[in-house]
Amino acid sequence: MNRPDPSVNPQAEAGDAPASSETSVTTEAAATAPAVAFSGLLRPLEILDRIIAMIEAFILTAGILVMAASSVANVIGRFVFGQSLYFAEELNQFLIIIVTFAGIGFAARHGRHIRMSAIYDELSHGLRKSLMIVIALVTATAMFILAWYSYQYVVSVYQTGRISPVTRVPIFLTLVWLPLGFVITGIQYVLTAIANLTRPDVYLSVSVVDTYEDNETEV
């Protein structure tokens, strides 16, 4: 009766099984590799990006938490104590403006804005990189133009001296985030263009690599 030789490696008889496993691991590692940070002369851009990210995260977190607390307190006051918070609705309106325009910069930083990529996906790596640079620069220009017009609008509101009817807050203070949000978003798209100019991969944003396999890599 023939017994199997213990010196024979079952995996070796499988042919390409180890190679296939190694290829799978390599592909997965490439898909999850972190984006390269700015360095050298571009190091200040990395610091600027981190500062903007912290400011956006703080504003979005604080704004959403305050809105949630205000809404819950208003419901409790209305149905438990029979008295609503008189400022809740107006406060939430102000916070929605802040969160919305802080959110556009946050979405740009994480590459989450809607993209029409039917043509883009069919291009070669070099053409996709070139197109992404053009898209980023054009979008940044549009954001800075909108920032200028929104700044003029805020100034015009300031000159009218309007105040909110309930909280008595000057209206222009609630609109200050309009130009700031557009400026921050424009900066994010400029950084995206620089990232594509200085790094080998295609970047959807300064921190998100377009892996071209529906596996966008984010720092």
Side-chain angles (χ1 to χ4, degrees):
M1 180 176 182
N2 295 330
R3 296 183 178 180
D5 189 351
S7 63
V8 176
N9 188 346
Q11 290 185 347
E13 294 181 350
D16 61 346
S20 176
S21 177
E22 182 179 355
T23 302
S24 176
V25 172
T26 303
T27 303
E28 182 179 356
T32 58
V36 180
F38 290 115
S39 60
L41 295 177
L42 298 179
R43 179 62 180 172
L45 297 180
E46 179 71 18
I47 298 174
L48 174 63
D49 180 53
R50 298 297 181 185
I51 292 174
I52 291 176
M54 289 188 293
I55 293 174
E56 289 172 343
F58 172 78
I59 292 175
L60 290 173
T61 302
I64 292 173
L65 288 177
V66 172
M67 276 196 295
S70 173
S71 299
V72 171
N74 191 41
V75 172
I76 294 175
R78 178 181 302 170
F79 291 100
V80 177
F81 302 103
Q83 180 65 45
S84 300
L85 297 179
Y86 70 94
F87 58 84
E89 182 178 356
E90 197 168 271
L91 175 63
N92 286 346
Q93 290 176 352
F94 298 157
L95 290 173
I96 287 174
I97 295 174
I98 295 174
V99 169
T100 298
F101 286 92
I104 59 174
F106 183 86
R109 185 180 190 278
H110 293 275
R112 296 304 180 187
H113 282 297
I114 295 174
R115 297 184 297 127
M116 306 300 290
S117 58
I119 298 176
Y120 169 89
D121 289 341
E122 299 300 322
L123 300 177
S124 63
H125 176 84
L127 289 177
R128 283 191 287 120
K129 176 180 281 288
S130 299
L131 182 58
M132 184 57 65
I133 293 171
V134 172
I135 291 173
L137 292 177
V138 170
T139 307
T141 301
M143 292 298 102
F144 290 134
I145 292 174
L146 289 174
W148 170 248
Y149 282 111
S150 61
Y151 167 76
Q152 291 182 319
Y153 174 69
V154 173
V155 171
S156 67
V157 173
Y158 168 76
Q159 292 173 344
T160 63
R162 293 169 52 195
I163 60 175
S164 60
V166 178
T167 58
R168 312 303 293 174
V169 174
I171 296 296
F172 83 94
L173 290 178
T174 68
L175 302 175
V176 167
W177 194 258
L178 274 69
L180 290 178
F182 285 129
V183 167
I184 289 176
T185 307
I187 291 174
Q188 288 296 333
Y189 279 108
V190 170
L191 293 177
T192 300
I194 295 174
N196 281 286
L197 286 169
T198 58
R199 303 172 185 173
D201 295 318
V202 180
Y203 279 74
L204 300 179
S205 73
V206 69
S207 60
V208 178
V209 181
D210 184 6
T211 61
Y212 201 50
E213 295 177 355
D214 293 332
N215 293 318
E216 297 168 358
T217 304
E218 183 172 351
V219 175

